Amino acid sequence: MLNTHQLEELLLSPHPLERYWATHLNASSNSWETIYAQHPHLAFLLAQNPHIPVALADQLAEHRNPKVRLMVARHPQLSQQSLEALAQDDEAAIRLQIAKRDDLPAYLIEGLEQDPDAAIHTALRRYQQPHLQQVVDF
């Protein structure tokens, strides 16, 4: 596992491959939080890493930049509160990414079924088929 200084060097590297590599590495929760506190401009890079702690992912789920929120919507573990917020995001691409998740509770799927964007309905049919089938069976 990388320490904070090593991770920070990679994230701030002038070499794109090193920055890309940093989006896949693991580090302590404290390292991620320290780096974000010192370098908030790295939010987009941090949001791409599936190993950032849930607390940081939740914080980035509220970021003003929709590209950051889109990356966070792909995080493998989000709190229920972040899932709810992202499922109602103003950006359709973010709602679409949430519709593809395999950990969505039924009430969020039902909410997304009311979405005005047709692509989200398509994603629900494709990725949420077991849940949608249960709804039809009743």
Side-chain angles (χ1 to χ4, degrees):
M1 189 177 323
L2 294 176
N3 67 36
T4 304
H5 179 70
Q6 292 168 322
L7 182 59
E8 185 177 32
E9 283 184 349
L10 289 172
L11 288 165
L12 295 171
S13 172
H15 304 289
L17 190 55
E18 288 183 355
R19 290 191 309 269
Y20 174 78
W21 189 39
T23 66
H24 293 80
L25 296 174
N26 203 350
S28 72
S29 295
N30 187 48
S31 291
W32 293 113
E33 292 163 4
T34 298
I35 289 171
Y36 183 57
Q38 294 175 354
H39 304 283
H41 64 281
L42 294 176
F44 182 70
L45 281 176
L46 297 177
Q48 293 177 56
N49 191 307
H51 302 292
I52 62 171
V54 174
L56 180 56
D58 288 344
Q59 186 177 358
L60 293 173
E62 299 174 2
H63 200 276
R64 69 180 184 280
N65 185 335
K67 292 178 183 178
V68 172
R69 296 193 311 273
L70 178 61
M71 291 298 105
V72 170
R74 298 175 180 182
H75 192 275
Q77 297 176 334
L78 288 174
S79 71
Q80 206 64 23
Q81 181 180 357
S82 289
L83 282 173
E84 291 172 3
L86 293 170
Q88 298 175 24
D89 198 279
D90 291 340
E91 296 289 331
I94 296 167
R95 298 190 312 274
L96 178 63
Q97 187 62 46
I98 293 296
K100 295 177 181 181
R101 294 181 65 99
D102 61 2
D103 61 347
L104 277 185
Y107 76 94
L108 286 180
I109 294 169
E110 292 167 5
L112 286 168
E113 288 173 335
Q114 307 306 314
D115 198 282
D117 193 298
I120 292 169
H121 298 178
T122 300
L124 289 172
R125 284 193 301 277
R126 180 171 185 187
Y127 294 95
Q128 305 300 335
Q129 192 60 39
H131 169 75
L132 295 175
Q133 187 62 41
Q134 288 174 358
V135 172
V136 172
D137 287 344
F138 287 110

